[in-house]
Amino acid sequence: MKRTIGLIWLFAVLLVLVACGTLAPVQEQPETPADAPEEILQELLTRDYIVGYLWYCDGLPDGGEMTEDEYLPVSPEGGYPTLESLQTLLERTYPDELVRTLMDAQDMQGRPRFVEREGVLYKSSRPVFSRYYWDYDADSVVIESESSTELVFTVEMQNLHTGERVPLSRTAVNTAAGWRLSEVGITAAEQGLEEQSSEETRAVAERFTAALVANDPQTIAACAGEAPETYQNWKGMTITEASITDTLEEYDGYGRYRVHMVTQNAFGVFAVGEEDYLLIVQQEQGQETPVVCYYEPEEKIAYNYSQERKDAACEMTMLFLQSQGGVRFSSTFWMDRAAVTDFALTMLYAENEGAMAFSAEEVAAAAQKYLGLIGFAPDESYRGEEGYLLAGRAAYSLPHLLVWPSYGDGSGRILVKAEIYSDHLNVQNCQGYLFAYYPNGDGTLRLASIT
């Protein structure tokens, strides 16, 4: 028989915590036998919420300066000043195996999420965050089944950014230490959302490939998020096969697929014959549903759509285009002083994450290193009280940019070809740029020209 649990106490606690902006630790009390599942779940879900806040939403407050290896000391005022206090919270909430997994959590660089040094708890400044922040709906908890060893219940979690509600089936197991939740709620909610969204992503990919075979330009345009008439000149193409043969990656609003396509006639848009293509579908800003944002032969994948991103020349090219837009020059000597200052600061920001301002000497050194300009004097409009810094500005929007892998021209230069299109399928109104770089001898590059 189903029984609805009233979580008024839990809801009140969460409201107070959110209002205060911090989470106080749950009072450590000895485990006591409890026959009422309501009380068990209230305690477990409250601690589960706090774990989600601390591990996935960076809830531990800072308590000092960042260390050289980019760890931040944790303020004792957060209520969890040691690794032992964090582990105790976990041990009272989850089984031992999950406790070990959470205590071994890593940051974006594969290092420990939390460390303790000389009695002080530190947290990584590069944690792996949840993309959303979740809360429980206190009125939605319903017990589905209960026994002496297991409680199965449903609870609705609400995405505090979007308002979306995701119903979850949760389980509490009876261990030697007492009742414990079998998973962390915030990650379970993320997984539920991703499963739902991946179905939508997959549907777009399948609809697009079917439209290629059916020669339906209007559906092709809709799948790419373009106006209905965008690909009307494709009418009459003959594509006898376009089928998804492999799912390379698929999750919340993003999918990478291998498509085998057989083309008889495509007016030069697609090569005649059989070929494998890389199809990428993703949720983009301003789009209500995922759209096809890339469809190119797998043998020739643009650098910015590849998964191996280790080309210094391509990285500089993308930084330049995002900060300066489409400019051309035969020599950096002809660049505007403000543009040089802006790009020098952009490169300094990229290589000094966390730094906010730089001296005139540092800007001049960056201009020489990355642009080959000796004795450069920065533009004074970039100077603030603490040094030269980039004012808040939006990067140039380049939604249909293709940057191709760099190559040498035989004379010591490294070249990068960049193309900008007006449509997601990269066939219309191309603007082309050729970036030329010279190696500095220390692994870095300096930009010489853009033609």
Side-chain angles (χ1 to χ4, degrees):
M1 181 179 66
K2 294 183 179 180
R3 289 185 290 169
T4 302
I5 301 175
L7 292 181
I8 298 175
W9 173 78
L10 169 62
F11 190 59
V13 169
L14 299 184
L15 286 177
V16 170
L17 296 176
V18 172
C20 295
T22 60
L23 286 174
V26 177
Q27 293 296 319
E28 296 298 330
Q29 297 176 351
E31 296 280 358
T32 57
D35 296 327
E38 293 88 349
E39 296 178 8
I40 295 170
L41 295 178
Q42 285 175 354
E43 294 176 2
L44 290 174
L45 288 174
T46 299
R47 291 197 289 267
D48 181 59
Y49 175 89
I50 294 174
V51 170
Y53 182 73
L54 299 181
W55 259 256
Y56 300 96
C57 302
D58 200 30
L60 287 171
D62 304 347
E65 297 295 324
M66 185 184 300
T67 63
E68 290 186 1
D69 59 348
E70 298 182 326
Y71 277 86
L72 288 163
V74 171
S75 170
E77 295 178 2
Y80 297 93
T82 63
L83 281 175
E84 182 181 4
S85 62
L86 290 176
Q87 184 166 335
T88 298
L89 170 66
L90 297 179
E91 289 173 345
R92 299 185 64 233
T93 313
Y94 309 106
D96 291 343
E97 183 177 352
L98 185 51
V99 171
R100 288 192 293 270
T101 298
L102 288 167
M103 290 300 294
D104 292 339
Q106 296 181 339
D107 66 5
M108 295 178 66
Q109 296 183 325
R111 306 174 307 169
R113 174 79 168 85
F114 302 108
V115 296
E116 190 170 321
R117 298 168 180 171
E118 298 180 354
V120 177
L121 179 65
Y122 288 82
K123 64 177 183 178
S124 169
S125 64
R126 299 189 179 187
V128 178
F129 284 153
S130 167
R131 280 171 292 176
Y132 306 105
Y133 191 23
W134 297 90
D135 195 1
Y136 295 106
D137 182 345
D139 297 324
S140 70
V141 178
V142 176
I143 293 180
E144 302 290 346
S145 66
E146 58 180 291
S147 68
S148 60
T149 59
E150 186 177 82
L151 279 172
V152 178
F153 63 99
T154 58
V155 60
E156 199 170 68
M157 294 187 72
Q158 183 179 15
N159 180 335
L160 295 183
H161 292 288
T162 67
E164 183 175 4
R165 294 176 181 269
V166 175
L168 295 179
S169 177
R170 305 288 305 274
T171 302
V173 294
N174 199 357
T175 70
W179 289 95
R180 300 292 184 264
L181 291 174
S182 61
E183 59 189 349
V184 182
I186 195 168
T187 55
E190 291 283 1
Q191 183 179 0
L193 180 63
E194 289 175 4
E195 288 175 354
Q196 178 182 357
S197 296
S198 66
E199 293 177 2
E200 184 178 33
T201 303
R202 179 80 179 199
V204 172
E206 291 178 345
R207 193 160 60 248
F208 172 76
T209 54
L212 288 172
V213 175
N215 193 224
D216 181 357
Q218 189 165 342
T219 298
I220 291 171
C223 291
E226 306 290 355
E229 66 277 4
T230 302
Y231 304 113
Q232 285 304 311
N233 61 326
W234 290 20
K235 198 70 177 175
M237 283 185 178
T238 305
I239 298 173
T240 58
E241 180 186 343
S243 57
I244 298 173
T245 57
D246 196 7
T247 300
L248 305 175
E249 200 172 0
E250 188 177 64
Y251 55 86
D252 180 8
Y254 183 80
R256 293 171 67 92
Y257 308 94
R258 179 178 291 114
V259 175
H260 184 70
M261 192 164 76
V262 180
T263 304
Q264 291 184 358
N265 174 32
F267 309 132
V269 175
F270 301 112
V272 173
E274 295 190 35
E275 194 162 5
D276 286 337
Y277 282 72
L278 174 64
L279 170 63
I280 298 179
V281 178
Q282 71 180 21
Q283 186 87 39
E284 294 192 332
Q285 186 173 2
Q287 299 283 355
E288 294 182 0
T289 60
V291 297
V292 174
C293 67
Y294 185 83
Y295 189 64
E296 295 286 335
E298 200 170 46
E299 290 297 317
K300 184 186 178 185
I301 299 176
Y303 174 79
N304 51 322
Y305 284 100
S306 70
Q307 294 181 304
E308 295 294 328
R309 302 281 291 270
K310 299 179 181 179
D311 191 320
C314 289
E315 292 296 326
M316 278 187 69
T317 296
M318 290 191 293
L319 278 174
F320 191 93
L321 286 170
Q322 289 165 1
S323 66
Q324 304 301 314
V327 299
R328 302 175 192 271
F329 51 81
S330 58
S331 169
T332 54
F333 176 80
W334 300 108
M335 284 183 67
D336 177 80
R337 183 177 298 278
V340 172
T341 304
D342 192 290
F343 186 62
L345 286 168
T346 297
M347 294 303 295
L348 286 170
Y349 273 54
E351 67 180 27
N352 296 278
E353 186 175 346
M356 298 300 297
F358 301 92
S359 67
E361 291 75 17
E362 289 174 309
V363 177
Q368 180 173 343
K369 179 178 180 180
Y370 295 112
L371 297 169
L373 300 174
I374 299 174
F376 177 74
D379 188 293
E380 290 299 303
S381 64
Y382 287 81
R383 186 174 183 178
E385 293 183 1
E386 299 180 358
Y388 290 86
L389 67 161
L390 285 175
R393 57 164 169 75
Y396 282 86
S397 178
L398 302 168
H400 313 304
L401 169 68
L402 297 183
V403 175
W404 300 100
S406 64
Y407 61 95
D409 68 349
S411 67
R413 296 192 309 172
I414 298 172
L415 304 181
V416 175
K417 183 181 180 182
E419 299 171 322
I420 299 175
Y421 294 84
S422 66
D423 70 296
H424 273 99
L425 297 179
N426 307 318
V427 294
Q428 297 184 6
N429 298 333
C430 172
Q431 291 179 298
Y433 301 92
L434 187 64
F435 286 70
Y437 298 90
Y438 284 103
N440 284 323
D442 61 353
T444 62
L445 303 170
R446 66 181 183 277
L447 178 59
S449 65
I450 304 176
T451 55

